Amino acid sequence: MTQRLFFDCDTGIDDSVALLYLLARTDVDIVGIASTAGNVPVDVVAANNLAWLSLCERGEIPVHRGPDGPLVAPLMTTEDTHGPLGVGYAELPTSDLVVADTDAPDAWLDAAQAHDGELVGLVTGPLTSLATAIRRDPSLPRRLRRLVIMGGAFHVHGNTTPVAEWNIAVDPEAAAEVFAAFGVDGAPAPIVCPLDLTETVALLPDHLVRLAAAAGSTPVEYPDPTDEAGIRSVADNPIVRHLVDAMRFYLEFHDAHDEGYLAHLHDPFAAMVALDPAIADTLPAQVGVELTGALTRGMTVADERGMWGGTPNARIATATDVDAVFDHLIETIASLARQIGGSA
Ligand code: RIB
Ligand code: CA
């Protein structure tokens, strides 16, 4: 069955992998892509989305521009994590595609109304665009079939503050408004993919080797921490080449931050959950976002035991089969690479 999906992202390196995965899935109708400011400014996010779509010959998918910045907080970006243009060392061919006239919040509303009760929402960036859409039309949440959010950290250290995960920390007010609007009044409880789980989905160089080989790309390259920083891939397959260039930056970033020469694939995992929630174990919880704590602003707090007396408004993804996730991710993206690289 074809699933209709609306993708809201702050492309970004792992958002890019999520987008390639979604484009590779032949059973998914990507209704639209919302570009939300986060990893990089909104216009860079939009340009990256357009460039990937152009490379993958999918220019028919509309890309929408989100707000300039968060609802309240000043915008913070993280080029040190994702590269000056948000795609690591990749130098994507510039696209002649342009963003749609409809802005991202209205695109959310249009998609939800056009596919009332069918649409799967996936957010792998700050929740600014989605929260703005809900402010414009509070009926949006109950029109969605499913919402999956990559965000939050519950029982692990934050990656932006000691307690806050990036997507939430960029726009805590938006996250608070989204969590308050779902899991109530007929709106589905979002499936939340937090760092607790997404940091176990750690790409290693061998995964890139397997992907290149499965794509029929040559030469098959093995990024190594002893390589000269920033060397560019010479893979003959364009998807593999740009993906390796993007991932090499991410591998170097994690290595430089004592995580090891690996790359947390937060967003592709959330994309896989959006299409097949059964790949993750989940638990119900009431989730809130701290907004005023001097030390804890942006923290996601989960009441897993009913202490607050309310009802669960979210399901937190807690476990998955990481090997199976990578087997599927590699096979799926390799199929796209073969198609685009002409060796389908
Ligand atoms: O904390 C990880 C998340 O923040 C990922 O979505 C990454 O792309 C950044 O947006
Ligand atoms: Ca992201």
Side-chain angles (χ1 to χ4, degrees), residues 10 14-15 39 82 124-125 150 159 165-167 195 266-267:
D10 63 337
D14 58 333
D15 305 77
N39 289 324
H82 291 266
T124 64
M150 190 281 134
N159 63 359
E165 177 277 327
W166 174 261
N167 290 334
L195 295 183
H266 311 282
D267 297 345

Side-chain angles (χ1 to χ4, degrees), residues 102-271:
T102 305
D103 71 8
D106 277 350
W108 264 110
L109 298 177
D110 293 349
Q113 282 166 356
H115 306 286
D116 201 345
E118 286 181 12
L119 190 70
V120 175
L122 168 65
V123 187
T124 64
L127 290 149
T128 312
S129 296
L130 178 52
T132 303
I134 295 167
R135 284 183 170 188
R136 291 181 188 174
D137 179 354
S139 73
L140 169 58
R142 60 178 175 271
R143 295 180 187 278
L144 296 186
R145 172 170 160 241
R146 180 183 308 139
L147 177 68
V148 174
I149 297 168
M150 190 281 134
F154 295 103
H155 304 291
V156 294
H157 203 284
N159 63 359
T160 305
T161 77
V163 294
E165 177 277 327
W166 174 261
N167 290 334
I168 308 300
V170 166
D171 196 342
E173 281 71 22
E177 291 185 18
V178 168
F179 280 114
F182 281 86
V184 290
D185 300 336
I191 301 173
V192 184
C193 299
L195 295 183
D196 310 54
L197 185 53
T198 63
E199 288 183 339
T200 69
V201 186
L203 177 136
L204 300 171
D206 187 54
H207 293 124
L208 292 175
V209 169
R210 287 171 53 192
L211 198 158
S217 179
T218 55
V220 173
E221 299 158 316
Y222 192 104
D224 186 278
T226 62
D227 289 343
E228 174 197 340
I231 59 168
R232 297 301 193 269
S233 167
V234 294
D236 64 358
N237 181 285
I239 300 295
V240 172
R241 182 167 65 254
H242 293 304
L243 189 54
V244 169
D245 283 345
M247 292 312 304
R248 179 182 291 276
F249 189 97
Y250 217 26
L251 290 163
E252 291 174 3
F253 170 82
H254 286 80
D255 200 25
H257 289 78
D258 303 323
E259 301 266 10
Y261 197 67
L262 54 84
H264 295 145
L265 291 194
H266 311 282
D267 297 345
F269 175 67

Side-chain angles (χ1 to χ4, degrees), residues 31-80:
V31 174
I33 300 174
S35 307
T36 298
N39 289 324
V40 287
V42 63
D43 289 320
V44 182
V45 174
N48 290 337
N49 288 329
L50 293 168
W52 284 117
L53 289 179
S54 211
L55 188 66
C56 296
E57 302 163 10
R58 298 296 299 279
E60 82 282 1
I61 298 173
V63 173
H64 305 275
R65 186 183 188 279
D68 288 336
L71 298 184
V72 174
L75 176 61
M76 63 176 174
T77 57
T78 182
E79 286 81 356
D80 63 318

